[in-house]
Amino acid sequence: MPIRLLVSDLDGTLVDKDKNLTPATIAAVDRLRAAGVGFTVISARPMSGIRPLLAPLRLDGDVAAFNGGIVFRRDGTIVSHVTIPADIARGVMAMADGVDTWVFADDRWYASDGDGPHTQSERRSSAQEPVVVASFDDLLDRADKITFVSDDEAALHALYERVHARYGKDATVAQSQTYYLDVTALAANKGDGIAGLAKALDVDLADTAAIGDQANDLPMLARAGLSIAMGNAPDAVKARAHATTRANDEDGVAHAIDTIILRSGDTE
């Protein structure tokens, strides 16, 4: 069957290394729609980081923030919203040691250090400034996402292993980059996210395509009818996808739209 819906990750996928949408990507999404194929996005970003992309992409329907924790629309409608249970959020926080910490709540970004590793990149991704706090305690009963940040790749992965072993059945624990460890609500994962977005558009999952670049994209790559890894994705992600496109700095999504997705209907 030809693809009826493409669901795309943002960072490392739809946007380039500077977090920008390129004219080639925007034009390719327009071609996709002209061919009768729907398009939407799902991201680990908060709503504030997704909103600026909706107008150039002409996205008025359901889109997903926090890996599906919040589904919303450009007009401000909140379709669904789940947060991390407070006891799990507190337990996860107690496990972190020696890493910078971010908590996202109330569509705001709270940080332990406003100038820590990757805060400048997050300023662009979130489209907001961090609120530096000494304690996160009063936020943990409504946290959308907890992120631990470290450039010590081995140490952060070891923390992932510990948090996942303790809370993996009660929360979504995933690395959105080698230097980010994200914890969201159990239902806030891209597998459930793509299922919900497809249902909202009355599209069967078998008729969807998903495209992404990191481990937190694997749940949606596993559930989509057609899974596409970015050229800049780790080999472990590429190995789980049906196809691989160019890197995000080479307009990989546009290349996938033209050479993989639209071509899937050529024989129909």
Side-chain angles (χ1 to χ4, degrees), residues 191-258:
D192 288 345
I194 192 174
L197 291 170
K199 182 177 180 180
L201 291 170
D202 195 27
V203 175
D204 192 282
L205 273 173
D207 300 330
T208 65
I211 187 165
D213 72 307
Q214 288 294 330
N216 68 326
D217 296 312
L218 289 173
M220 73 171 179
L221 296 181
R223 297 188 70 174
L226 172 64
S227 56
I228 305 170
M230 297 298 294
N232 49 290
D235 289 343
V237 174
K238 292 177 182 177
R240 302 275 291 275
H242 295 120
T244 298
T245 186
R246 296 173 180 168
N248 64 317
D249 271 350
E250 299 173 305
D251 292 314
V253 170
H255 182 73
I257 287 172
D258 290 332

Side-chain angles (χ1 to χ4, degrees), residues 65-106:
F66 299 124
N67 298 330
I70 298 180
V71 176
F72 70 104
R73 296 175 185 153
R74 180 152 57 126
D75 65 5
T77 300
I78 302 296
V79 178
S80 62
H81 186 190
V82 293
T83 58
I84 308 168
D87 59 329
I88 294 173
R90 295 183 191 283
V92 166
M93 291 289 286
M95 298 183 72
D97 183 30
V99 295
D100 278 3
T101 301
W102 302 340
V103 172
F104 296 82
D106 306 325

Side-chain angles (χ1 to χ4, degrees), residues 93 99-105 108-120 122-123 126 128-136 138-139 145-149:
M93 291 289 286
V99 295
D100 278 3
T101 301
W102 302 340
V103 172
F104 296 82
R108 297 301 306 272
W109 166 33
Y110 300 87
S112 57
D113 183 350
D115 295 306
H118 305 287
T119 51
Q120 190 56 38
E122 187 62 25
R123 282 180 170 90
S126 297
Q128 62 175 286
E129 286 291 316
V131 178
V132 179
V133 294
S135 171
F136 298 99
D138 63 345
L139 302 170
K145 182 174 73 168
I146 297 170
T147 299
F148 299 121
V149 187

Side-chain angles (χ1 to χ4, degrees), residues 26-49:
I26 294 170
V29 171
D30 286 342
R31 288 194 295 276
L32 190 73
R33 286 202 188 91
V37 181
F39 178 80
T40 190
V41 298
I42 184 168
S43 175
R45 289 187 184 193
M47 292 189 294
S48 61

